[in-house]
Amino acid sequence: MARPFDVVALESKWQQRWRDSGLYEVDNDDPRERFYALCMYPYPSGAAHQGHVRNYTFGDLVVRYQTMRGKAVLSPFGFDSFGLPAENAAIKAGSHPRLFTDQRIEELRASVQKLGAVYDWRREVRSHDPEYIKYSQLIFLKFFEAGLAYRANAPVNWCPGCATVLANEQVNADGTCDRSGDLVERKNLEQWFFKITAYADELLNEVDGLEWPDRVKTMQRNWIGRSEGAEFALQVDGQPDLAIRVFTTRPDTGFGVTYAVVAPEHPLLDQLTTAEQRDGVDELVTRARGASELERTASSDSGIGLDKRGAFTGSYVINPFNGDKLPVYVADYVLGTYGTGAIMAVPAEDERDYAFAQVHNLPLVRTVAPPADFEGGAYSGDGVKINSGFLDGLSISEAKKQATAFLGERAAGEAKVNFRLRDWLVSRQRFWGCPIPIVYCDGCGIVPVPAEQLPVVAPDDVSMDKSGQSPLATHEGFRSTTCPTCGGAARREADTMDTFTDSSWYFLRYTDPFTPGVPFDPSAAAKWMPVDQYIGGIEHAILHLLYARFYMKALVDVGLAPGLPREPFRRLFTQGMIRMGGSKMSKSKGNLVAPQQYYESVGADGLRLFHLFVGPPNDDFDWTEQTNDVIDGCARFIDRLWRLAELEEVTWRDEADATDLAVRRAVHKTIVRVTDGFEKWGYNTGVAALMELLNTLSKWARDAHGAHRATFDEAIDTMCLLLAPMAPHVSAELWAKRHGDDQLVHAQSWPTADPSLVVDDTVTMVIQIAGKVKARLEVAADISEADATAAALAEPSIAALLNGAAPSRVIARPPKLVNIVP
RNA sequence: GCCCGGAUGGCGGAAUGGCAGACGCAGGGGACUCAAAAUCCCCCGGCCGCAAGGUCGUGUGGGUUCAAGUCCCACUCCGGGCACCA
C-alpha cells in the first residue's frame, strides 16, 4: 500500500538510533526504581515468525512503557541454543550442529531487530556458549554435592535398528521409530536425576502467592499432584517374611478391600507368583513391558480387554482390618512409578477396581452407604460408614483418622503424603546439549570434574552420521580422560543435560553476565530478581516454569544465590497462540506467515499495532484471509495520524473555545483509557481509544470552524507519547519532527491526565420505564438524586407515557440513569 | 472420565449489574478523478414502518433483580490441559 512516508528508511533509521543511544542499556548500579521485563528466550529456529512477533511486541511495549514511567528496565535477550532440531539438521547434512545454530541465531536476531524491539544486547545469553556451559556445569556440580543430583536406573525409548535412544517426540503413535520404522523398546539405563521431589511441598504451596494466570497455577498444582492417605503393609499368607506395602487415600475403606494388585514392575512380583500362575503372569508382564506404553496409558475402555490386563499371582495377603484372605493380582492399571506400586482394591468405592472386579468375578463390599437413588457401581461420594466394624457410623473423614491410627498399631502403617511429581530425569543421550561434568573411574567411581577444569565442551571434530547416535559416546578423544582424584585412566560421562536445565537459570545470568568467575554475582542479581513481568507461551505452563522454580530454590539452598527470592517470576503473562487452518502456526506444520513482507509494506509499526489491536493478548488468534485487511487497517491509522500531524487540510482559529475544551477532555480521557489498558493487558482497547481520538481530532481540526494551535499541539504530542510503546518508529519520527531531531519521544515521561479534564460538566442521563430506555436528558454531572428524579418525571415524553399514573417506584442512579417502575 | 476456558452482527472484537454491538475489517452508497488507486463523507443486527417510531435480539431452558451479555441453577456445543495417580 502507498504510504505517506518511506517506511523502510524511517524504521531502519530509528532502529539504528536506539542502538546508538543506549537508552535501553541499563547498568546494575542504575539509581532508578528497577523493573525486570522478560520474554521467554527463544529456540533459534531461523527468522522470527508471527508467534515471536506477538511475544516481543508485548514485551517491548512493557519495556518502553515502564521506561517512560521513569524506571530502569532490564530488557535482555538470548537464545535457547541447544536442542534436537539442530542436531537432526546436522545429521541430515552430515555436519556440526553449531553451524546451523549460529546461522539461525543471526537470522532470528536480525528479524527481531527489524521489529524495533529494544534490548540490552551486552547481556545476551546463548546456552551453547562455553561460558554459559561452564556455569551450567558448575550448577550441576553444586547440585551433586548437595545430593540434589543422583544416578538411578530409568527406562528409555530404545531403537534396536538405530542402536540409539529416542526422545518421546521421535516415537510414532504406533510405537515405531521415526527414522527406521523399527519397533521401539523400553530399556533401562543408568541416568542422572535432579531431586525436584524434595521441593514438592514448597513448589505446591508457593503457587498460591504468584500473580500468574489461574489456568497455569491449576496446571502446576495438578502436575505436582499431592494426595494425602496412608501407607501400610499387607502380610502375605504363608510367607511370614513377605509383605506388600500399599498406599491408599481411603484408609477408611479397609473393610471393603477384596483383593490386592501389584504393578507389573513390582520388585516382589516374582516371589508372589506361584508355579501354576507363572505363565499367565509372564504373559501379562511381557505385554506391559513391551512397546505398549501408549497402549497402557490409553483409557481403560479402549484397546485390550480388562481380562487380558490382569492376572492372578497365586498368592494371598491378609487384610489387617478383618483378617480376610485376599487374592493378589498383577495388573497394568497399577503403576510402578506411583505410590508403592501396589494397591488395596476396593471395588465398591473405586471405579477402576470395580471394573476390574467385574471382569475377574471378585466380590464387592460396600463400606459407605450410597444415597437411596444411587444406581452406579462404585460409589466414591460422601456418606456414613457401614460394614466396617469399629468404623461403622462414622463420617469418611473421621474414619480415615481412626483407620490410619489402627494401621499404625497393626500393620506398620502411617499417614503418608504422595506426589504425582517425579524426579527430573536430566540425562539425554544426545550430542547437542550441555555435557554432564562427571568422569567414571574404576578405582574412585563417580568423580565430579573439578570446577577449575570447566567447561567440559564437546569436541569440534565430529560429524553427525545417519545412525543418530551421539558422537560423544564414541569419540575417544573426548571419552577417555584421567581421573581428577587418582590420576588413573577414566571415562567421561557421554550424556548431556536436558535443555530445560539451560532455560532454568538464564534469567539469572542476564542480571549479571559481567562478573568473572561466577554464574552471576548474587548481590547484582538481587537488584533485579524476581522478574517483574515474564511473558511467554502457554505451552510452557508446566515444565519450564516448574523447573525454573525448582532451580531458583535449589540455587539459593546450595549457596549460589544467597539472599535471592525463592520464586523467580512474580508476574506471568501467557500470550495466546496464533493458529492457522485450525492448528498452531509453526515451522513444523509449514503454515508460517513470515513477518518480513510486512516490514516492507505496513512496517514493523503496522504489524505491531495489528497484534496489539486484534484481540485480547491472552486469547488465541486465528489467522485468516481477512487478516491482511486488518493489518492494512492498522497501517491506515498510522497514515491518518501522520497526515494530520503534517497539518494536511487543517485550518486554524486564533482563540480557544468550547470545541477546544471538548477536544482536551477527549485527549485526557484517552490518556486514562490507554494507561488502564497497559496496566490490565487491554492493549486492544487501548489501540481502539487512540483510533477514536484520532477520529475526533480529524473531524475537529478539518472542520471550517478550525482548531486552536495549542490544543492541537497538546493532542498530537499526547498521541505520540501514548503510541510510543506500541508503534515506536512513527511516534519517534513525529516527535522529532515536532520538537527537534535530537529529541527522543521514548525518553519522555509517560503523560498523566488532568483530573479536571477527565470528568464532564454535563452527561446524558437515560430515563427508563420498566427497564426500557424511553428518553435521554442532558443533565449536570453532579445532579442530585431528587433533581434527577424530578427532571425525569417532568420530561414531556415520559409524562405522556405515564399518563398521570403515579409510579410505584423510582430508582435514580444520578447522573447516568433513572428507572421508573409503573 | 476429571479439571480449566469460551459461546455477542457477515468477521475480529467492545461493554465497574445501568443506553448491547465501541474500535476495526468486509459490504453498500456518495464526493474527488477522463478513469482507476489512494483519500474524504454517509449507511451498515433481525422484523414492521414512507417516516417518526415500534418490536425482537448476546448458545439453550429456568431463576435472582427496579434493571442481566454480566450474578445463580441446569443443559448444549466448541477449545485446551491432564488422563488408569490408588
Side-chain angles (χ1 to χ4, degrees):
Chain A
M1 56 192 286
R3 310 291 303 272
F5 53 89
D6 182 340
V7 63
V8 173
L10 185 153
E11 293 195 342
S12 73
K13 169 183 125 184
W14 281 102
Q15 285 162 19
Q16 186 62 47
R17 283 202 49 187
W18 293 325
R19 268 198 296 281
D20 297 345
S21 74
L23 186 61
Y24 298 98
E25 290 179 1
V26 293
D27 293 326
N28 285 344
D29 59 1
D30 195 295
R32 292 173 290 179
E33 186 187 340
R34 309 306 179 91
F35 192 95
Y36 190 173
L38 182 64
C39 290
M40 291 178 185
Y41 80 155
Y43 179 80
S45 55
H49 56 67
Q50 297 294 344
H52 294 119
V53 170
R54 195 171 171 79
N55 196 182
Y56 305 139
T57 294
F58 298 152
D60 193 52
L61 183 146
V62 170
V63 170
R64 293 183 185 268
Y65 170 65
Q66 294 294 349
T67 302
M68 289 175 80
R69 303 223 48 159
K71 294 179 185 161
V73 181
L74 181 58
S75 171
F77 204 89
F79 301 92
D80 183 17
S81 50
F82 276 135
L84 209 47
E87 187 160 336
N88 285 338
I91 289 168
K92 217 169 174 178
S95 70
H96 197 287
R98 183 182 298 109
L99 301 175
F100 288 88
T101 304
D102 287 342
Q103 183 194 334
R104 285 171 178 174
I105 283 176
E106 289 321 310
E107 285 166 13
L108 182 52
R109 187 203 314 274
S111 64
V112 164
Q113 283 175 336
K114 279 198 168 171
L115 183 64
V118 283
Y119 301 101
D120 185 348
W121 288 101
R122 300 171 307 170
R123 299 171 183 264
E124 178 181 334
V125 163
R126 297 177 305 162
S127 342
H128 76 295
D129 253 346
E131 272 292 288
Y132 196 76
I133 291 173
K134 175 170 151 187
Y135 296 120
S136 289
Q137 291 172 338
L138 183 75
I139 291 169
F140 179 96
L141 294 176
K142 288 280 185 187
F143 284 4
F144 178 67
E145 255 174 57
L148 289 171
Y150 66 94
R151 267 168 84 72
N153 259 309
V156 294
N157 299 308
W158 177 261
C159 173
C162 307
T164 187
V165 171
L166 303 179
N168 281 333
E169 301 83 66
Q170 297 174 300
V171 182
N172 297 323
D174 62 356
T176 58
C177 171
D178 203 21
R179 202 161 29 225
S180 69
D182 290 315
L183 203 58
V184 175
E185 294 170 1
R186 308 278 289 167
K187 184 173 162 177
N188 275 321
L189 282 185
E190 179 108 328
Q191 307 196 64
W192 285 95
F193 288 83
F194 283 166
K195 208 184 264 178
I196 190 172
T197 53
Y199 291 87
D201 262 320
E202 192 187 344
L203 287 166
L204 181 68
N205 294 337
E206 289 186 354
V207 165
D208 295 343
L210 298 171
E211 291 176 58
W212 290 16
D214 286 339
R215 190 155 64 121
V216 176
K217 289 163 75 164
T218 304
M219 284 162 79
Q220 294 240 330
R221 287 192 193 101
N222 291 344
W223 189 261
I224 297 166
R226 181 180 200 273
S227 52
E228 286 182 21
E231 194 181 301
F232 63 97
L234 290 172
Q235 188 61 49
V236 179
D237 187 42
Q239 298 197 58
D241 296 338
L242 199 57
I244 306 168
R245 283 197 80 78
V246 295
F247 172 72
T248 178
T249 55
R250 293 291 304 274
D252 63 291
T253 60
F255 287 88
V257 180
T258 56
Y259 63 99
V261 188
V262 298
E265 303 86 350
H266 198 278
L268 299 181
L269 177 59
D270 196 47
Q271 292 181 66
L272 291 165
T273 306
T274 57
E276 310 86 76
Q277 303 299 332
R278 178 72 60 188
D279 287 352
V281 168
D282 283 352
E283 191 192 330
L284 181 123
V285 169
T286 306
R287 226 205 48 250
R289 204 181 269 159
S292 56
E293 174 77 353
L294 285 148
E295 207 172 73
R296 226 185 121 177
T297 53
S299 69
S300 42
D301 51 22
S302 72
I304 296 173
L306 268 175
D307 54 327
K308 293 266 172 30
R309 302 183 56 195
F312 181 45
T313 60
S315 289
Y316 292 84
V317 290
I318 305 301
N319 183 344
F321 287 91
N322 54 17
D324 283 359
K325 263 174 73 173
L326 308 170
V328 179
Y329 281 75
V330 54
D332 66 358
Y333 82 92
V334 172
L335 306 176
T337 51
Y338 184 77
T340 59
I343 61 160
M344 59 174 229
V346 186
E349 273 109 30
D350 182 282
E351 278 187 39
R352 291 152 303 169
D353 295 347
Y354 178 83
F356 190 84
Q358 289 284 297
V359 173
H360 292 271
N361 290 316
L362 293 156
L364 176 149
V365 178
R366 290 203 183 279
T367 73
V368 178
D373 58 349
F374 181 72
E375 287 174 359
Y379 175 71
S380 55
D382 213 350
V384 174
K385 298 304 297 181
I386 54 171
N387 301 328
S388 294
F390 68 96
L391 300 173
D392 278 351
L394 297 177
S395 68
I396 290 177
S397 64
E398 184 55 33
K400 280 181 181 173
K401 283 180 205 152
Q402 296 204 14
T404 305
F406 172 86
L407 289 167
E409 295 156 18
R410 303 284 293 270
E414 62 198 350
K416 180 84 195 273
V417 173
N418 254 322
F419 291 93
R420 207 192 80 110
L421 184 69
R422 306 260 65 87
D423 273 340
W424 176 10
L425 196 171
V426 296
S427 294
R428 295 290 181 273
Q429 293 71 36
R430 293 282 141 204
F431 175 75
W432 196 231
C434 179
I436 293 173
I438 291 287
V439 300
Y440 301 99
C441 168
D442 285 341
C444 310
I446 298 170
V447 182
V449 175
E452 60 274 15
Q453 289 177 26
L454 299 181
V456 174
V457 290
D460 273 334
D461 60 335
V462 298
S463 65
M464 310 296 297
D465 63 37
K466 305 275 189 244
S467 81
Q469 201 179 7
S470 167
L472 289 187
T474 52
H475 190 283
E476 274 308 309
F478 175 79
R479 284 218 79 178
S480 60
T481 183
T482 51
C483 172
T485 307
C486 70
R491 308 282 290 168
R492 278 192 197 284
E493 166 69 64
D495 287 354
T496 53
M497 283 189 249
D498 183 0
T499 56
F500 275 118
T501 61
D502 302 308
S503 54
S504 290
W505 74 281
Y506 75 103
F507 47 89
L508 289 162
R509 180 69 180 167
Y510 281 152
T511 64
D512 178 36
F514 310 119
T515 307
V518 288
F520 49 86
D521 173 7
S523 68
K527 289 177 180 166
W528 296 106
M529 293 297 291
V531 173
D532 291 285
Q533 183 64 63
Y534 200 26
I535 304 174
I538 186 77
E539 65 272 21
H540 293 113
I542 296 174
L543 294 182
H544 162 59
L545 290 169
L546 194 68
Y547 291 151
R549 294 179 62 216
F550 157 69
Y551 249 64
M552 194 69 238
K553 297 171 196 309
L555 287 170
V556 174
D557 290 345
V558 303
L560 283 173
L564 264 69
R566 297 179 73 83
E567 283 293 335
F569 314 123
R570 194 166 65 83
R571 290 175 74 200
L572 171 71
F573 184 83
T574 50
Q575 61 179 72
M577 284 188 321
I578 298 173
R579 286 187 309 231
M580 193 181 196
S583 58
K584 183 186 172 179
M585 199 181 260
S586 74
K587 193 165 186 169
S588 56
K589 295 228 169 58
N591 58 356
L592 289 184
V593 177
Q596 183 60 39
Q597 56 180 306
Y598 299 102
Y599 294 152
E600 286 152 21
S601 57
V602 300
D605 282 346
L607 190 59
R608 290 169 63 124
L609 218 45
F610 156 75
H611 278 286
L612 294 168
F613 176 64
V614 73
N618 58 323
D619 282 8
D620 286 351
F621 167 72
D622 279 305
W623 194 283
T624 66
E625 319 80 60
Q626 196 195 242
T627 300
N628 279 334
D629 287 331
V630 179
I631 296 173
D632 285 348
C634 290
R636 199 143 49 223
F637 161 72
I638 291 170
D639 293 350
R640 292 179 64 214
L641 172 64
W642 179 279
R643 286 193 294 266
L644 185 67
E646 291 289 283
L647 312 181
E648 271 184 36
E649 296 173 60
V650 172
T651 57
W652 300 116
R653 173 171 28 81
D654 289 340
E655 297 298 323
D657 66 10
T659 64
D660 291 271
L661 183 59
V663 164
R664 294 197 66 210
R665 288 204 154 113
V667 168
H668 284 257
K669 283 180 187 170
T670 304
I671 295 174
V672 172
R673 285 175 68 186
V674 173
T675 308
D676 280 357
F678 279 16
E679 296 290 340
K680 296 175 194 158
W681 299 95
Y683 300 145
N684 51 334
T685 51
V687 177
L690 286 172
M691 287 173 167
E692 265 181 78
L693 180 61
L694 179 62
N695 290 343
T696 303
L697 293 177
S698 171
K699 273 201 186 79
W700 165 75
R702 285 164 174 151
D703 189 273
H705 185 71
H708 185 60
R709 186 71 201 224
T711 307
F712 181 87
D713 285 339
E714 181 192 10
I716 298 296
D717 279 349
T718 304
M719 289 277 299
C720 289
L721 292 166
L722 295 179
L723 206 54
M726 307 196 211
H729 307 84
V730 74
S731 30
E733 179 72 15
L734 287 175
W735 189 267
K737 279 165 100 79
R738 297 171 57 77
H739 296 276
D741 208 40
D742 59 335
Q743 293 297 305
L744 291 173
V745 70
H746 295 99
Q748 306 300 310
S749 290
W750 188 249
T752 47
D754 179 341
S756 70
L757 291 172
V758 173
V759 291
D760 288 313
D761 292 341
T762 64
V763 295
T764 305
M765 185 174 80
V766 171
I767 306 170
Q768 299 178 329
I769 293 180
K772 304 232 181 261
V773 180
K774 294 297 176 183
R776 291 178 180 81
L777 206 56
E778 203 64 22
V779 300
D782 57 355
I783 191 169
S784 70
E785 199 170 318
D787 288 350
T789 305
L793 292 170
E795 174 71 14
S797 62
I798 296 297
L801 283 164
L802 288 173
N803 201 17
S808 64
R809 193 173 166 190
V810 178
I811 293 101
R813 291 283 177 275
K816 294 181 81 173
L817 169 138
V818 173
N819 188 14
I820 299 161
V821 187

